[in-house]
Amino acid sequence: MHNQAEILVSETQGGTQKQGFRILSNRQEFSDEIKERYTASGQYPIIETPAFPKDKKVVVCYLGTFNSGDHKVKEITSISAKDNILYVEIPKYESGGMAIQVMSNPWFVFSVPSSYQFTSVQLKYSK
């Protein structure tokens, strides 16, 4: 099953140290997740919570910890679901040069068709 996914929120900081995901079931969970992620990164919520899509599943995905660079997800190249695994392909992006902040914990929230059934999320990096 192949379809489009939409990124709702994406940030380079505030995620967890380990990779993981969670399905958000309503607007309140979505709003709370955004507030919690910004608080974890020491920021104040600087965005307005996007509308919660009624006809899609909303997933928050934590990429884990990176030792250097900026690993913010800016687009989803492709998405598919097979054998209870959601495959999310994202372009490989890493900022170059020296950075003051050398550790990053990126996270992003995206929506997928509500018909997708999955128990795990696997990220694939494209060139």
Side-chain angles (χ1 to χ4, degrees):
M1 200 181 253
H2 291 276
N3 211 323
Q4 293 283 47
E6 179 184 5
I7 293 178
L8 303 174
V9 179
S10 181
E11 292 296 333
T12 59
Q13 288 300 323
T16 59
Q17 291 182 347
K18 295 186 178 187
Q19 288 184 359
F21 79 99
R22 191 175 124 200
I23 296 174
L24 305 175
S25 57
N26 58 49
R27 181 167 174 72
Q28 186 61 50
E29 282 185 6
F30 184 30
S31 180
D32 291 347
E33 184 69 29
I34 290 173
K35 287 177 187 171
E36 181 180 330
R37 297 294 115 217
Y38 274 100
T39 302
S41 66
Q43 301 176 22
Y44 293 99
I46 55 173
I47 63 167
E48 188 173 318
T49 305
F52 189 85
K54 295 180 189 213
D55 59 341
K56 297 189 175 204
K57 285 185 182 175
V58 176
V59 181
V60 60
C61 188
Y62 314 109
L63 300 181
T65 299
F66 292 88
N67 290 327
S68 64
D70 175 4
H71 299 270
K72 184 175 181 177
V73 176
K74 296 185 179 184
E75 74 175 282
I76 295 175
T77 308
S78 71
I79 193 159
S80 62
K82 183 179 179 187
D83 298 328
N84 286 325
I85 300 172
L86 180 67
Y87 295 97
V88 180
E89 184 176 355
I90 57 177
K92 183 144 177 98
Y93 168 78
E94 185 175 333
S95 65
M98 295 288 286
I100 294 171
Q101 182 175 337
V102 295
M103 300 295 284
S104 65
N105 296 84
W107 61 280
F108 66 109
V109 179
F110 62 101
S111 64
V112 298
S114 59
S115 61
Y116 279 22
Q117 300 297 317
F118 56 93
T119 55
S120 65
V121 173
Q122 183 174 347
L123 294 177
K124 299 187 306 184
Y125 293 96
S126 60
K127 294 182 181 184

